Amino acid sequence: MKLSVCLLLVTLALCCYQANAEVCPALVSELFDFFFIREPLFKLSLAKFDAPPEAVAAKLGVKRCTDQMSLQKRGLIAEVLVKIVKKCSV
């Protein structure tokens, strides 16, 4: 099993070395929603992914934790995310 996973990764690296590094807009939107909108609205935005209830509950649990951070600290995280997106989209 381990060998097949390693082989798959090597194959992907060799065959897909010219992969596009653009960040998916849905991911960017979901990340910023995660940090800045209230839980009920975020739960609605997660519905578009049709995720299992356990996954949604886990995500909301983490959101409750990050919602306890100050808005200033969440803003710092957002700034880092913007830098990463800019760097990946070049």
Side-chain angles (χ1 to χ4, degrees):
M1 175 75 178
K2 290 181 183 180
L3 180 60
S4 63
V5 172
C6 291
L7 184 60
L8 173 65
L9 292 175
V10 170
T11 304
L12 287 172
L14 292 174
C15 296
C16 302
Y17 66 94
Q18 293 178 340
N20 185 343
E22 278 189 44
V23 179
C24 175
L27 175 64
V28 173
S29 174
E30 193 268 332
L31 283 172
F32 282 95
D33 287 352
F34 179 79
F35 284 107
F36 295 111
I37 66 172
R38 297 186 184 270
E39 186 178 320
L41 289 174
F42 183 68
K43 191 173 181 178
L44 287 174
S45 76
L46 286 178
K48 65 185 169 199
F49 297 111
D50 197 28
E54 304 84 30
V56 172
K59 186 90 171 187
L60 291 175
V62 175
K63 177 158 177 52
R64 286 185 202 105
C65 182
T66 57
D67 283 350
Q68 294 176 8
M69 295 169 57
S70 71
L71 190 59
Q72 180 183 10
K73 288 184 179 181
R74 287 186 272 167
L76 291 173
I77 293 171
E79 287 177 22
V80 171
L81 290 173
V82 167
K83 288 179 183 179
I84 291 170
V85 169
K86 284 182 180 178
K87 189 164 187 127
C88 288
S89 297
V90 172

